[in-house]
């Protein structure tokens, strides 16, 4: 047959070749439509088509429960750490700050107004440090080079306020004295304390800084069946005289560092078993997330392959490229979100296991990883609600309005920044909420939400009539512009997107090349006589994949 075809007229041979090519193209199109049809089914339709049980969905639900439980355990443990830090800082203030009332004054702890109070407060810190082991209720010990006392002052100068005379060298000099723990009871320490270093010239003095390091052990974790932590407290007490206003502000700052205990022996079988159980549970969380990570990555790879097949076939048959929107139909952002969440959970779980075993003390990094991953996991629950048409309106409205909202916020942000800079430079000297840029931004954001309006108006100082009138014009214009105009337009953008989605749900969504390609396809291989299906199947069809873990 093939030999005889060679001697047929050229037109007939060419027609036969074209017929075979067209047949192959039809078969290729049918196979592609079958794959696309199954790809865009939700788990309910897949269940009706092939009786395929959505076991991957059970894995995802299990992961949500395990990750949340893990976060709760870590949060309770972290709560003990925060409590220990805060209670120690309060104890330090009462121990080392003379006359501390228990409440801070603004952003500083307390203040003094006489020279004698300054000397008394400085030597009070030194004496309390010397007798710390005898007076402290906590388990504290010395560490490092001991007590470091530094004073910063102008090099030289004279001041005669009565004659309005000032002669000063603005360059500064810093002198320091060290008192080691082993020298506290020696005569050397007494000589250092009686030296000329402590003869302060207050008209030159800028600040006195006393710093020391203490170590402590938190035993309260044992009651929670956890191993104790070792802490290092770097404390700094600053006597700030930069303003030379007759008021020295005393700042207390404590940086806490959780360290690995070098040598500890705890005899408690229950404590050791509890630690082992939690480590095993963290291992299961890592295994669950790793499985989810592999399945989601595989699903994205399969989706990209199917996208490539569709793009190539469309170009081959219709001689034009698939639009960008249709190509994005194959890329599901939910799976990317799950992959990011799984990676963060795995890393955070490893850090948590090391912290639990007291090999690391990176509580902050672990908190950020586990907290963010749990946030992403629960945001992913919205995907399941999207199967129901009532809940799906929220998701579609957010997707439709997000680009417009971002563009609108960029424009409104320029106005917001303008008001922020203006309020900072004009109202800063007369209003505590406008003293720095960060506070101004927070104050204006509160005003946009209708919070603390009267206090913002009332707290402006009336020392300058011009500034007071400007503040009224500034605040009234900002509130009117952002609440009555910008905020209303912001809501209108979202409302417009919501109305558009509701209209599409009633009259149908716009048909793209991909939807047109699949519209008339009917797969004979799928069962259509199913009368009993899960309740979730009563929702609209959502993009899914047999290999994508979030849905199936």
């Amino acid at each position: 047959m093939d030999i005889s075809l060679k001697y047929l007229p050229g037109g007939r041979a060419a027609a036969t070749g074209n017929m075979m090519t067209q047949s192959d193209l039809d078969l290729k199109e049918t196979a592609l439509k079958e794959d696309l049809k199954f790809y865009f089914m939700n788990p309910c339709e897949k269940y009706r088509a092939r009786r395929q049980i959505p076991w991957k969905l059970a894995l995802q639900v299990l992961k949500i429960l395990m990750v949340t439980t893990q976060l709760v355990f870590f949060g309770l443990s972290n709560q003990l750490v925060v409590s220990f830090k805060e209670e120690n800082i309060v104890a330090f203030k009462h121990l080392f700050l003379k006359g501390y009332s228990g409440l801070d004054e603004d952003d500083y702890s307390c203040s003094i107004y006489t020279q004698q109070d300054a000397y008394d407060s400085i030597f009070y810190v030194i004496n309390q440090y010397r007798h710390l082991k005898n007076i402290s209720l906590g388990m504290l010990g010395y560490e490092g080079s001991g007590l470091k006392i530094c004073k910063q002052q102008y090099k030289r100068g004279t001041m005669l306020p009565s004659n309005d005379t000032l002669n000063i060298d603005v360059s500064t000099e810093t002198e320091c004295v060290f008192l080691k723990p082993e020298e506290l009871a020696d005569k050397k320490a007494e000589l250092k304390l009686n030296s000329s270093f402590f003869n302060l010239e207050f008209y030159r003095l800028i600040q006195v800084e006393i710093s020391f390091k203490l170590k402590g052990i938190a035993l309260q974790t044992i009651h929670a069946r956890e191993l104790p932590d070792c802490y290092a407290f770097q404390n700094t007490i600053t006597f700030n005289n930069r303003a030379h206003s007759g008021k020295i502000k005393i700042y207390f700052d404590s940086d806490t560092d959780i360290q690995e205990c070098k040598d500890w022996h705890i005899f408690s079988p229950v404590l050791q078993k509890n630690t082992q159980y939690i480590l095993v549970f963290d291992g299961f969380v890592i295994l669950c997330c790793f499985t989810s990570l592999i399945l989601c990555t595989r699903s994205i790879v399969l989706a990209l392959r199917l996208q490539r097949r569709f793009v190539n076939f469309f170009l081959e048959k219709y001689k034009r490229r698939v639009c960008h929107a249709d190509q994005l139909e194959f890329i599901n952002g939910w799976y990317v979100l799950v992959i990011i969440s799984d990676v963060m959970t795995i890393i955070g779980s490893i850090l948590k296991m090391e912290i639990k075993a007291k090999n690391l003390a990176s509580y902050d990094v672990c908190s950020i990883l586990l907290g963010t991953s749990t946030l992403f996991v629960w945001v992913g629950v919205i995907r399941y609600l999207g199967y129901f048409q009532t809940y799906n309106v929220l998701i579609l409205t957010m997707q439709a309005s997000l680009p417009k909202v971002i563009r609108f916020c960029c424009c409104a942000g320029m106005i917001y920044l303008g008001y922020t800079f203006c309020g900072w430079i004009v109202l800063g000297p007369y209003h505590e909420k406008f003293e720095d840029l960060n506070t101004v931004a927070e104050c204006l954001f509160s005003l946009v939400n209708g919070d603390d309006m009267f206090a913002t108006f009332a707290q402006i100082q009336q020392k300058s009539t011009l500034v007071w009138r400007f503040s009224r014009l500034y605040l009234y214009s900002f509130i009117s512009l952002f609440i009555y105009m910008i905020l209303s337009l912001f809501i209108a953008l979202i409302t417009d997107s919501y109305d558009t989605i509701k209209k599409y749900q009633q009259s149908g969504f716009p048909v793209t090349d991909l939807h047109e390609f699949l519209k008339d396809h009917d797969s004979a291989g799928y069962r259509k006589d199913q009368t009993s299906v899960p309740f979730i199947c009563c929702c609209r069809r959502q993009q899914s994949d047999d290999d994508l873990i979030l849905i199936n």
Side-chain angles (χ1 to χ4, degrees):
M1 180 67 178
D2 294 337
I3 297 176
S4 62
L5 284 175
K6 292 181 181 179
Y7 296 94
L8 292 174
R12 183 177 176 183
T16 305
N18 291 337
M19 185 185 304
M20 294 175 63
T21 302
Q22 184 64 36
S23 177
D24 293 339
L25 191 62
D26 291 340
L27 292 175
K28 186 176 181 180
E29 179 179 358
T30 302
L32 178 60
K33 287 184 176 181
E34 290 282 348
D35 294 339
L36 289 174
K37 194 79 172 181
F38 189 77
Y39 172 73
F40 286 104
M41 284 183 177
N42 60 38
C44 303
E45 293 172 329
K46 292 180 180 180
Y47 177 80
R48 285 182 290 186
R50 297 182 181 179
R51 289 295 184 182
Q52 179 174 302
I53 300 175
W55 58 270
K56 295 178 184 177
L57 176 60
L59 175 63
Q60 188 67 16
V61 173
L62 176 64
K63 191 188 80 170
I64 293 175
L65 296 176
M66 295 182 68
V67 168
T68 304
T69 304
Q70 181 192 47
L71 182 74
V72 171
F73 286 152
F74 182 74
L76 294 176
S77 176
N78 199 26
Q79 186 176 348
L80 297 177
V81 175
V82 174
S83 174
F84 185 77
K85 290 180 181 179
E86 293 179 349
E87 291 177 1
N88 271 274
I89 292 175
V90 173
F92 290 152
K93 290 182 179 180
H94 283 278
L95 281 173
F96 297 106
L97 300 184
K98 182 178 176 61
Y100 180 66
S101 63
L103 297 176
D104 290 350
E105 302 178 17
D106 201 6
D107 61 335
Y108 51 90
S109 299
C110 54
S111 56
I112 52 179
Y113 300 91
T114 65
Q115 295 184 12
Q116 187 60 44
D117 288 341
Y119 285 114
D120 291 344
S121 298
I122 293 174
F123 284 99
Y124 181 81
V125 175
I126 298 173
N127 291 329
Q128 292 292 96
Y129 181 80
R130 294 172 66 179
H131 303 95
L132 181 63
K133 292 184 178 181
N134 298 326
I135 61 177
S136 174
L137 297 175
M139 299 179 58
L140 298 174
Y142 302 117
E143 189 195 24
S145 58
L147 201 66
K148 178 182 178 182
I149 308 172
C150 296
K151 66 176 181 179
Q152 184 183 20
Q153 58 187 4
Y154 297 114
K155 282 189 175 181
R156 57 182 179 274
T158 57
M159 290 186 184
L160 297 173
S162 58
N163 297 331
D164 297 329
T165 302
L166 173 65
N167 182 15
I168 193 168
D169 185 356
V170 295
S171 56
T172 62
E173 59 182 5
T174 303
E175 300 179 48
C176 294
V177 172
F178 296 90
L179 293 176
K180 297 182 180 180
E182 60 271 14
E183 298 178 350
L184 294 176
D186 296 344
K187 292 183 178 180
K188 293 181 179 180
E190 297 293 337
L191 293 175
K192 290 181 179 179
L193 295 177
N194 294 327
S195 64
S196 60
F197 175 84
F198 291 96
N199 294 327
L200 304 177
E201 296 176 320
F202 289 93
Y203 70 92
R204 294 172 53 203
L205 181 67
I206 299 175
Q207 70 176 24
V208 175
E209 185 177 278
I210 304 175
S211 59
F212 53 93
K213 196 170 185 178
L214 301 175
K215 299 199 71 173
I217 301 176
L219 293 180
Q220 64 175 344
T221 55
I222 295 179
H223 301 290
R225 297 182 179 181
E226 294 185 12
L227 297 175
D229 289 317
C230 294
Y231 292 79
F233 300 95
Q234 180 62 51
N235 301 317
T236 303
I237 302 175
T238 304
F239 297 80
N240 192 327
N241 192 41
R242 293 181 179 275
H244 289 86
S245 60
K247 175 182 179 179
I248 294 181
K249 300 176 181 179
I250 303 178
Y251 295 85
F252 184 91
D253 181 62
S254 181
D255 292 329
T256 307
D257 184 24
I258 305 176
Q259 300 177 345
E260 177 186 354
C261 294
K262 297 180 180 179
D263 187 18
W264 50 269
H265 301 280
I266 301 175
F267 302 98
S268 175
V270 177
L271 181 63
Q272 295 178 356
K273 288 183 179 180
N274 181 72
T275 303
Q276 293 173 358
Y277 291 153
I278 294 180
L279 292 177
V280 171
F281 178 78
D282 292 335
F284 276 113
V285 173
I286 294 175
L287 180 62
C288 182
C289 292
F290 188 71
T291 305
S292 172
L293 175 64
I294 293 176
L295 293 174
C296 286
T297 304
R298 175 176 174 269
S299 299
I300 291 180
V301 172
L302 294 176
L304 292 176
R305 290 179 180 176
L306 185 60
Q307 179 200 57
R308 191 181 307 113
R309 284 178 56 195
F310 175 68
V311 170
N312 294 337
F313 178 82
F314 209 81
L315 182 62
E316 178 182 356
K317 181 175 181 179
Y318 299 103
K319 308 302 181 184
R320 60 188 179 92
R321 297 185 178 276
V322 178
C323 65
H324 187 64
D326 279 346
Q327 295 186 38
L328 290 179
E329 289 281 345
F330 294 86
I331 308 300
N332 199 312
W334 295 108
Y335 309 136
V336 179
L337 186 68
V338 171
I339 290 176
I340 296 175
S341 174
D342 289 337
V343 172
M344 298 181 72
T345 303
I346 292 173
I347 298 175
S349 298
I350 294 174
L351 291 178
K352 181 178 178 295
M353 295 175 69
E354 292 294 323
I355 292 173
K356 191 68 179 178
K358 302 307 174 186
N359 297 325
L360 288 177
S362 305
Y363 277 90
D364 293 337
V365 177
C366 185
S367 299
I368 293 174
L369 290 173
L370 292 182
T372 307
S373 64
T374 307
L375 169 64
F376 289 163
V377 166
W378 280 99
V379 169
V381 176
I382 300 177
R383 173 64 185 257
Y384 310 140
L385 299 178
Y387 294 140
F388 302 93
Q389 186 172 359
T390 305
Y391 296 102
N392 192 55
V393 174
L394 171 63
I395 303 175
L396 295 178
T397 302
M398 291 173 61
Q399 292 176 347
S401 62
L402 185 60
K404 295 184 290 185
V405 168
I406 292 177
R407 290 192 294 267
F408 181 81
C409 288
C410 290
C411 298
M414 302 298 105
I415 305 175
Y416 190 86
L417 286 176
Y419 271 93
T420 301
F421 286 113
C422 178
W424 173 54
I425 197 64
V426 178
L427 303 182
Y430 301 93
H431 202 300
E432 63 178 5
K433 293 184 179 180
F434 292 84
E435 290 180 352
D436 57 78
L437 280 174
N438 185 48
T439 307
V440 175
E442 294 171 353
C443 175
L444 294 181
F445 188 79
S446 299
L447 291 177
V448 171
N449 291 277
D451 296 334
D452 212 20
M453 282 192 179
F454 178 76
T456 304
F457 277 94
Q459 290 178 6
I460 187 70
Q461 300 178 13
Q462 299 187 23
K463 294 182 178 180
S464 173
T465 304
L466 179 61
V467 174
W468 185 86
R469 291 178 177 175
F470 178 85
S471 68
R472 265 46 192 170
L473 177 63
Y474 172 86
L475 293 174
Y476 280 124
S477 62
F478 176 81
I479 293 173
S480 301
L481 180 62
F482 272 83
I483 293 183
Y484 302 134
M485 182 179 295
I486 294 180
L487 191 59
S488 299
L489 290 174
F490 183 85
I491 297 174
L493 287 176
I494 301 176
T495 305
D496 180 66
S497 299
Y498 175 79
D499 293 337
T500 302
I501 296 300
K502 294 292 289 184
K503 178 181 178 182
Y504 284 159
Q505 287 185 333
Q506 296 174 359
S507 59
F509 287 85
V511 179
T512 63
D513 291 335
L514 177 61
H515 301 145
E516 189 69 28
F517 183 74
L518 296 173
K519 185 174 63 174
D520 298 328
H521 177 67
D522 184 15
S523 177
Y526 298 140
R527 300 178 58 177
K528 298 184 179 181
D529 55 348
Q530 307 298 334
T531 58
S532 176
V533 295
F535 176 72
I536 195 175
C537 297
C538 299
C539 56
R540 74 172 186 87
R541 179 167 56 198
Q542 174 116 350
Q543 175 181 345
S544 107
D545 174 6
D546 180 50
D547 300 295
L548 295 179
I549 189 173
L550 270 181
I551 296 181
N552 201 6

